[in-house]
Amino acid sequence: MEEIIQKDEEKEKGHRKRLREKFLISGTKGMFDYEILELLLTYTIVRKNCRGLARGLLLKYGDLYTILKQPSKELQKNKNITERTVVFLKLIFEIIENGLYKKFIIKKLNYPVILNY
């Protein structure tokens, strides 16, 4: 029995490695949404299959952006989503939101010109 569990863990490690390699080769454009979310989840969820969780979250919330913008308490209602996972996902969301806001402000206010005064 222990041998079967060990083989499953080795197979899962190989899958996670393949996901990382796929991202490094093609970025998110070469991945399905569930693969992107699954890859994110692998950084905070150890020794659990993240593919099913990723697909379930996408079915429940619709898309990756909607998942990321959920309140922390809502995310923690989902099986295997711990506080650590919530912090990681919310951090990703904050980085995205701040980056988009800065791009908008720079474009709208022509920020580089203001700095030259």
Side-chain angles (χ1 to χ4, degrees):
M1 183 68 160
E2 188 175 310
E3 188 176 305
I4 294 171
I5 293 170
Q6 189 175 6
K7 285 182 180 181
D8 285 344
E9 286 178 4
E10 288 173 15
K11 184 179 176 184
E12 185 63 28
K13 283 181 187 176
H15 176 67
R16 290 174 180 220
K17 183 178 180 186
R18 288 188 300 275
L19 268 178
R20 289 191 304 271
E21 289 170 349
K22 185 174 184 177
F23 172 74
L24 290 173
I25 291 168
S26 61
T28 58
K29 292 180 181 168
M31 301 175 80
F32 294 105
D33 284 352
Y34 78 88
E35 291 175 313
I36 297 166
L37 181 56
E38 179 184 5
L39 181 58
L40 289 172
L41 293 172
T42 64
Y43 287 95
T44 61
I45 299 174
V46 184
R47 295 190 182 125
K48 289 196 177 19
N49 182 342
C50 294
R51 182 184 296 160
L53 178 57
R55 287 182 178 203
L57 290 170
L58 285 165
L59 281 172
K60 183 175 182 177
Y61 298 108
D63 59 54
L64 187 55
Y65 183 80
T66 303
I67 293 168
L68 294 175
K69 74 176 188 176
Q70 292 301 310
S72 299
K73 288 184 180 186
E74 174 62 27
L75 288 173
Q76 283 185 304
K77 291 177 184 177
N78 296 283
K79 185 177 180 181
N80 296 322
I81 300 293
T82 63
E83 180 184 41
R84 181 181 177 147
T85 302
V86 170
V87 168
F88 184 73
L89 294 177
K90 299 308 285 179
L91 178 61
I92 298 292
F93 181 71
E94 292 282 329
I95 291 168
I96 292 167
E97 287 290 289
N98 289 335
L100 291 174
Y101 177 76
K102 287 176 184 174
K103 280 185 177 182
F104 173 76
I105 292 299
I106 289 169
K107 199 174 207 180
K108 180 121 176 141
L109 299 178
N110 201 6
Y111 189 67
V113 173
I114 294 171
L115 290 177
N116 292 330
Y117 276 97

